Amino acid sequence: MDAVCSIFVHYSRPDASLICLERILRQERPVQKIVVVNNGSPSDPVLRQFADSARRHGREGDLHIVQMPRNAGNAGGCAAGLDYAFNLPGVNYAWVLDDDSWPRCDTLRRLTEAPSALPGEGRPLIRMALVVDPARDHELTWPLTARSTHDDAEPWQHFCRRDSLPEQAYIPSRGGWLGALYPRELWETVGAPTPGLFIRGEDEEYPWLACSSGFRTITVAGALLEHPSPPQALIRYDVGGGSFFYEPGIPVSRFYYKTRNWAWLQKRKRPGRSLYLFAACGCCAVLAMNAMLQTGEISAERFAALLCALWNGARGKLRPWGRPGSGAEAAPSADASAGA
């Protein structure tokens, strides 16, 4: 049986992290190792509770706490977690979770029962859980980019509801992060996510790295991962065959990181194509400002964060969030913490 190591990052939500750990420990198909990356204080009382939970299940020796020297965000924490997991003896797969993403008891079993590779293709598949919101009758937490076959000529579609998904057990998907079962071969090929992304970036960078390296992804329709939806519905604009999503209600710092990381990734995807990058960032700015007006979120601070994020990302600079006019880039703020 392939050895699976689950990974999630803990920072400031002990109750959520304890539930996540308990769900992992109750899997019908058990994980062999559990890595919890602690972005908080090494004296956090919840660390003892983690050990107590593992002991109650007879798994104390399988729990590994990776202590970060400072809050590295979800990207930095997961990067450290992946490196740690795949350096454990015999680990073949890493199962990426979040502190507030809670698998059902059969989720990992369903993932591992799915095909691990496509016929005629050498590289293993990345198998993903279907992320749903239990508060909305288990509807999709966010849109899933997928299609009905692995035919590269078939266009990708954004599916926003479960009843609109292709009626099949294994859905070819563009890629994903949360709930993904990543094979060792992917980590050996592309390494871990870029830690400097901090938050809201590893979920786009890592699937792109996987796809660029020839790995394909399927979403296992029966493997459900419970994760809350954003407090407010996403705003979607369809432009030039693609879609732009704006998430209302998020703090300015998170908006900055999400936008900065997007621009940074566009630069990586198309090196040397300055005109494309300029046009893409301009389009992003126009659509984001339109969404701000639509939601009443337009403000000098959010507008400045948008421009700073696009400027830094387009220049390949992963500078942390700092309040405009402060005279210096500040350290990542608490509301942009890992797991948030």
Side-chain angles (χ1 to χ4, degrees), residues 237 239 243-246 255-256 258-264 266 276-292 303 305-307 309-311:
Y237 301 114
V239 181
S243 294
F244 173 88
F245 291 93
Y246 179 85
F255 173 64
Y256 169 82
K258 183 175 183 178
T259 308
R260 182 205 67 176
N261 295 341
W262 173 86
W264 178 86
Q266 301 313 302
Y276 168 85
L277 184 61
F278 177 80
C281 288
C283 183
C284 175
V286 169
L287 294 175
M289 286 188 288
N290 187 71
M292 288 182 210
F303 178 70
L306 171 65
L307 297 184
L310 292 173
W311 173 249

Side-chain angles (χ1 to χ4, degrees), residues 252 255 292 296-308 321 323-325:
V252 174
F255 173 64
M292 288 182 210
E297 291 187 344
I298 192 73
S299 68
E301 184 181 36
R302 193 171 290 265
F303 178 70
L306 171 65
L307 297 184
C308 288
W321 163 249
R323 292 191 177 277

Side-chain angles (χ1 to χ4, degrees), residues 11-12 71 198-199 251 253-254 257 321 331-340:
Y11 180 62
S12 61
N71 179 15
F198 194 66
I199 58 169
S253 57
R254 292 190 209 175
Y257 283 112
W321 163 249
S333 59
D335 63 2
S337 61

Side-chain angles (χ1 to χ4, degrees), residues 104 130-141 162 224 226:
R104 294 186 175 181
L130 188 67
V131 186
V132 299
D133 184 353
R136 295 193 304 125
D137 196 26
H138 301 99
E139 273 299 330
L140 299 182
T141 298
R162 287 185 69 185
L224 301 185
E226 296 178 356

Side-chain angles (χ1 to χ4, degrees), residues 7-11 13 17 35-39 68 71 73-79 81 97-100 338-339:
I7 299 170
F8 73 89
V9 178
H10 165 73
Y11 180 62
R13 298 186 292 196
S17 292
V35 170
V36 180
V37 182
N38 183 29
N39 265 332
M68 301 298 287
N71 179 15
N74 197 62
C78 283
L97 301 171
D98 202 352
D99 58 355
D100 61 349

